[in-house]
Amino acid sequence: MGAWGVGMQANDTALDAIGDERKLKKIRKTNDGPKLQKLLQEAKEHNDWDWEWEVLGVVEYRLDDGMSLDAINQSRGIINEALASERTPEQLECWKSMLDRIAALNLFERRLNGEKVPQEEGEATNEGLL
């Protein structure tokens, strides 16, 4: 497993979850907040060391796919927990560019708060190498 960029979807863990049709078909093309919340909780319970990457990657994917913020906000507790964990000094020190990771987390959170951000800005965080 690994990461190649600072964005929420720029790692193997997130992409494995996003690519798992068995999991995502539960929430694909719906605004079913409780199903998303259940999926994220399962990720946390079954993925010991990088559950945060899965949670944040799936949520960003659903944002990109058009899931409403109202539905996503039903999972804000676990999303905020993942964000807080990713912002700890121990986690940030793992990144080649700590400042780039912080900027990507901030951009993601801005999107969660309903701010419209240029698509290119979001896409740029999901490419590149560590």
Side-chain angles (χ1 to χ4, degrees):
M1 292 188 199
W4 55 89
V6 294
M8 303 311 106
Q9 298 176 65
N11 62 78
D12 292 337
T13 303
L15 290 180
D16 286 348
I18 291 165
D20 187 344
E21 289 296 320
R22 182 181 50 79
K23 286 183 182 178
L24 280 188
K25 73 179 179 183
K26 298 175 187 174
I27 59 170
R28 187 179 305 280
K29 302 294 182 196
T30 73
N31 275 323
D32 195 332
K35 285 184 181 176
L36 175 65
Q37 188 172 17
K38 182 179 180 193
L39 179 70
L40 300 180
Q41 190 61 43
E42 287 173 0
K44 181 180 178 187
E45 292 169 1
H46 297 106
N47 198 344
D48 292 336
W49 69 276
D50 59 358
W51 67 270
E52 300 92 343
W53 287 8
E54 183 171 342
V55 165
L56 298 177
V58 166
V59 171
E60 184 178 70
Y61 174 80
R62 292 304 290 133
L63 273 171
D64 292 346
D65 199 33
M67 187 173 224
S68 75
L69 284 176
D70 287 339
I72 289 172
N73 280 335
Q74 294 177 37
S75 300
R76 270 316 269 264
I78 195 167
I79 296 167
N80 289 342
E81 188 178 347
L83 282 167
S85 177
E86 285 298 298
R87 287 186 167 123
T88 64
E90 298 81 23
Q91 288 292 76
L92 291 172
E93 288 172 1
C94 297
W95 296 89
K96 181 177 178 183
S97 175
M98 188 183 311
L99 294 178
D100 287 345
R101 178 61 173 175
I102 292 169
L105 292 167
N106 290 341
L107 176 71
F108 173 72
E109 192 164 31
R110 286 174 31 215
R111 291 186 68 199
L112 284 176
N113 291 328
E115 187 176 326
K116 301 288 184 210
V117 298
Q119 184 176 355
E120 313 81 54
E121 199 174 334
E123 290 172 354
T125 67
N126 285 311
E127 57 189 34
L129 297 173
L130 289 176

